Amino acid sequence: MTYPCKNCGKVYSYYSSLARHLKHECGVEPKFHCPLCPYRTKHKSSLNTHLNGRHMKLWSEVHTLPNGNKTSSSDGN
C-alpha cells in the first residue's frame, strides 16, 4: 500500500512518513540555510551533507585558529 500526499503528489510507503511530510515539509519554507552560499533545505542532515560535500575545505579554513587548531562547536552542530 502507498500513501500519496494530496497537496503535492509525493508518494510514501509508510503512513508515518506521509504524516511527517505533511507536518514538516509540504508547503513549508526551508528553515536550514547554508552560511556560505544561497543553499536552503528543510532537513538539517541535508545541510550537513551539503556543507561536507561543497564547502568542507573552506569550512575547515574558516574554523581553523591562527595556531592551526580547529575550533569546535559547543552546541554539537
Side-chain angles (χ1 to χ4, degrees):
M1 178 173 227
T2 59
Y3 302 92
C5 175
K6 293 179 181 175
N7 297 325
C8 70
K10 284 190 176 184
V11 179
Y12 295 90
S13 297
Y14 301 99
Y15 180 79
S16 60
S17 297
L18 173 62
R20 182 204 67 238
H21 166 76
L22 290 169
K23 183 175 182 180
H24 298 289
E25 298 173 14
C26 194
V28 177
E29 287 293 317
K31 58 183 167 184
F32 297 100
H33 306 270
C34 178
L36 303 172
C37 75
Y39 178 79
R40 298 169 56 196
T41 183
K42 296 175 185 179
H43 302 279
K44 186 175 183 179
S45 62
S46 295
L47 177 58
N48 289 336
T49 300
H50 167 80
L51 287 168
N52 287 329
R54 298 284 181 160
H55 304 299
M56 182 48 82
K57 184 176 183 218
L58 177 61
W59 190 250
S60 64
E61 288 172 2
V62 168
H63 292 286
T64 300
L65 298 172
N67 63 6
N69 292 336
K70 301 281 185 192
T71 62
S72 62
S73 176
S74 60
D75 63 359
N77 288 335

